[in-house]
Amino acid sequence: MSPSLFKRPLQLTLHPQAVLPDGMSWLLQEGYVRSATWDAEGESISLGLWGPGDVITSEAPALQPLDLQCLTTVVVEQVELDPRAQQEHMRRERQMLAELLTIQRIRAGDQRLLALLRWIGQSHGQCNRHGCRISLRELNLTHRALADLCGLTRVTVTKLLCRFRADGQLLVVSESDLLIPGQP
């Protein structure tokens, strides 16, 4: 058979703020993607934060509209999900939604933001005996993006991050890297 007869999976490189095409499943090879929908007033509602190695899909979404928004430059490859892979994706999606909902239901804004940072650290950071290190630059998580993820205002997030640094609840490792102590 000639090589032209083999179907090659679609691969895309997308820049920050781009949206993945609808109705397809993707293996996220590089970068970070936020799944989101909107309420009746047009406010964004974060449904998940996905990183390298995750499978993401907008096939038969439970919520409409659904956008898979690139937070960073991403490299994705289209995949066909067999029933087992679909079931695993749905399990992971439900777990992430439950975790984010639990965080968003924390009444005190400072505790909510700390819980979100710990969740991001454990999901997408580097954890060791000293705590979890997260790179806000690598994830392209601006104060606005953090606010969207946990239901606070950008100004509140900025003030809280400054307070957390001053109180030692967050340690500055570099300009955009933070260490959340004691969360291995």
Side-chain angles (χ1 to χ4, degrees), residues 93-111:
E93 194 174 58
R94 280 192 316 269
Q95 177 186 353
M96 192 177 298
L97 277 168
E99 291 166 354
L100 278 173
L101 181 60
T102 300
I103 290 168
Q104 291 170 352
R105 295 296 298 167
I106 296 172
R107 289 196 188 276
D110 59 343
Q111 295 305 308

Side-chain angles (χ1 to χ4, degrees), residues 5 7 16 31 40 48 54 57 64 67 73 85 102-103 109 122-123 143 145 153 155-156 159 164:
L5 296 178
K7 184 178 177 185
D54 286 332
T57 186
Q64 292 274 348
D67 270 354
T73 298
T102 300
I103 290 168
Q122 291 172 352
S123 303
H143 294 186
T153 67
V155 172
T156 300
K159 288 179 182 178
F164 294 159

Side-chain angles (χ1 to χ4, degrees), residues 42-92:
E43 290 290 320
S44 177
I45 301 169
S46 295
L47 303 173
L49 182 62
W50 309 90
D54 286 332
V55 172
I56 52 180
T57 186
S58 59
E59 292 184 62
L63 292 172
Q64 292 274 348
L66 174 70
D67 270 354
L68 300 175
Q69 305 165 341
C70 301
L71 293 174
T72 63
T73 298
V74 299
V75 177
V76 292
E77 180 176 302
Q78 183 184 9
V79 293
E80 297 292 328
L81 297 180
D82 62 33
R84 184 170 178 244
Q86 284 177 335
Q87 191 172 36
E88 176 57 27
H89 173 74
M90 289 174 54
R91 186 199 65 75
R92 175 73 176 112

Side-chain angles (χ1 to χ4, degrees), residues 10 21 31 41 68 82 95 105 132 154 157 162 165 170:
L10 175 63
E41 288 81 40
L68 300 175
D82 62 33
Q95 177 186 353
R105 295 296 298 167
C132 287
R154 184 204 53 80
V157 167
C162 288
R165 289 178 186 131
L170 290 178

Side-chain angles (χ1 to χ4, degrees), residues 114 117 128 130-136 161-183:
L114 267 179
L117 292 171
N128 61 33
H130 301 291
C132 287
R133 179 179 178 160
I134 58 173
S135 174
L136 297 179
L161 288 174
C162 288
R163 191 179 92 204
F164 294 159
R165 289 178 186 131
D167 293 348
Q169 292 177 289
L170 290 178
L171 304 177
V172 178
V173 178
S174 70
E175 185 179 322
S176 65
D177 288 7
L178 302 172
L179 178 71
I180 306 163
Q183 294 296 317

